[in-house]
Amino acid sequence: MHKTLDVITIGEAMAMFVATETGELSAVEHFIKRVAGAELNVATGLARLGLNVGWVSRVGDDSFGHFVLDSLKKENIDAAGVTLDGRFPTGFQLKSKVENGTDPIVEYFRKGSAASHLSTEDYHAGYFAAARHLHLSGVAAALSDSSYELLDHAATTMKSQGKTISFDPNLRPVLWKSEAEMVEKLNRLAFQADWVLPGLKEGMILTGENTPEGIADYYLNKGVKAVVLKTGADGAWFKTANGEQGAVAAVKVENVVDTVGAGDGFAVGVISALLEGKPLQQAVARGNKIGSLAIQVQGDSEGLPTRVQLNE
């Protein structure tokens, strides 16, 4: 019997070496080690808010893989769905340090990683059935054909069981064979979701529409219940299947340290609030708030708050 989970997500985690000094990565001598991964960031944020979260993946039986498993334990994320795979390595990445609010340079070393070998064999029916919500991202979808099949199977099955699903496109064009394949496959996942959370530019690429309302209607017409668009400095804009819509202003940040992880923080806020039964406008406001906290520190998940720190 599996323990009841509020949320389950699927993704890749990597060891991340963050430069402690600015400059070209080739010249940097000192780094700090962290864990990275879009879906793991979301799992971490939700767990810190007190939700029971399961994260499904594969990691190598190496020092990086054990580092990831130790991080899961530290964050109280359920790891029963993680396979320690001795055949393939855990990926890693290098990230530059920036101090002017621009995006850092990130170099990935993930090809052939254990997580890229995720497949429908990693779908354990009892484990997924124990969760009430599934969160998916376009990063895990792009890892490999077999990883995509796992996400598609999980979405189809959990939707048929009446569970809710959220989807963050998290576009990574470099991981796909073509933009056409990326658009087709990610939209197939999005159409199965209740809540779709694209950035404005991502929405334009995926739908061919160039306005927030056009992007939202594209998905709402396919059966999605709510679309929440991240609109950068303006904050976010949402529309629901019953016609409710509105803009939610961004939280002003004086000192932007590291923009990586802002979208994951936004997802944490929206998903957690909706699972608590809060109105969508309130959920989007929480998303903006947590996104603003994420960009004020270096590291992908260091800024994600606990329930006490969230103070709401």
Side-chain angles (χ1 to χ4, degrees):
M1 186 72 182
H2 293 284
K3 79 172 189 180
T4 303
L5 297 170
D6 293 303
V7 180
I8 201 163
T9 187
I10 307 166
E12 177 173 28
M14 290 168 281
M16 174 173 65
F17 293 89
V18 188
T20 58
E21 56 207 77
T22 57
E24 294 291 328
L25 278 171
S26 58
V28 172
E29 294 187 358
H30 300 102
F31 296 82
I32 50 174
K33 186 170 70 167
R34 297 286 186 265
V35 289
E39 302 85 2
L40 183 55
N41 292 340
V42 174
T44 299
L46 293 172
R48 286 184 190 167
L49 293 177
L51 282 78
N52 292 320
V53 185
W55 179 75
V56 174
S57 190
R58 287 179 172 262
V59 295
D61 189 5
D62 48 35
S63 59
F64 291 161
H66 289 281
F67 174 57
V68 170
L69 292 174
D70 289 344
S71 299
L72 295 173
K73 189 177 293 185
K74 180 179 158 193
E75 296 290 352
N76 200 29
I77 297 169
D78 189 90
V82 181
T83 297
L84 196 63
D85 191 332
R87 300 168 301 162
F88 308 105
T90 309
F92 70 96
Q93 60 174 260
L94 303 176
K95 186 164 86 166
S96 68
K97 180 179 181 179
V98 292
E99 294 178 331
N100 57 0
T102 60
D103 292 343
I105 301 297
V106 182
E107 291 187 3
Y108 296 95
F109 301 83
R110 74 196 312 175
K111 191 172 178 63
S113 68
S116 71
H117 291 84
L118 280 163
S119 73
T120 50
E121 289 180 15
D122 296 287
Y123 186 87
H124 303 292
Y127 188 65
F128 278 81
R132 64 187 177 114
H133 181 80
L134 174 68
H135 176 68
L136 299 177
S137 136
V139 181
L143 293 177
S144 64
D145 289 343
S146 64
S147 178
Y148 179 85
E149 288 166 10
L150 170 63
L151 269 62
D152 190 43
H153 179 70
T156 303
T157 306
M158 291 185 72
K159 188 178 179 71
S160 72
Q161 295 169 347
K163 312 298 180 77
T164 52
I165 301 170
S166 52
F167 179 66
D168 184 343
N170 238 322
L171 298 190
R172 298 290 191 276
V174 71
L175 295 178
W176 293 94
K177 296 185 190 81
S178 68
E179 184 174 294
E181 182 195 41
M182 177 179 74
V183 169
E184 190 273 323
K185 285 192 165 182
L186 293 187
N187 277 335
R188 198 190 313 167
L189 292 176
F191 296 159
Q192 298 188 73
D194 297 275
W195 317 322
V196 178
L197 313 171
L200 186 57
K201 287 180 182 174
E202 291 177 326
M204 291 177 178
I205 292 168
L206 291 171
T207 68
E209 300 288 340
N210 57 13
T211 65
E213 189 152 16
I215 294 165
D217 288 344
Y218 179 88
Y219 290 113
L220 295 172
N221 289 335
K222 297 291 186 179
V224 172
K225 293 186 174 66
V227 179
V228 184
L229 279 154
K230 292 160 279 192
T231 52
D234 292 333
W237 185 90
F238 68 89
K239 187 174 181 181
T240 68
N242 62 15
E244 180 191 358
Q245 66 183 68
V248 181
V251 176
K252 296 298 179 207
V253 174
E254 294 298 325
N255 183 31
V256 177
V257 176
D258 186 343
T259 55
V260 176
D264 300 330
F266 182 83
V268 168
V270 173
I271 294 164
S272 62
L274 290 176
L275 289 178
E276 290 166 21
K278 298 200 181 305
L280 185 56
Q281 178 136 1
Q282 205 169 324
V284 177
R286 183 187 286 182
N288 283 347
K289 182 176 181 178
I290 296 181
S292 75
L293 294 172
I295 62 176
Q296 295 181 60
V297 296
Q298 190 174 30
D300 291 10
S301 60
E302 277 73 357
L304 299 173
T306 62
R307 181 68 65 172
V308 172
Q309 291 166 335
L310 182 62
N311 191 29
E312 61 166 65

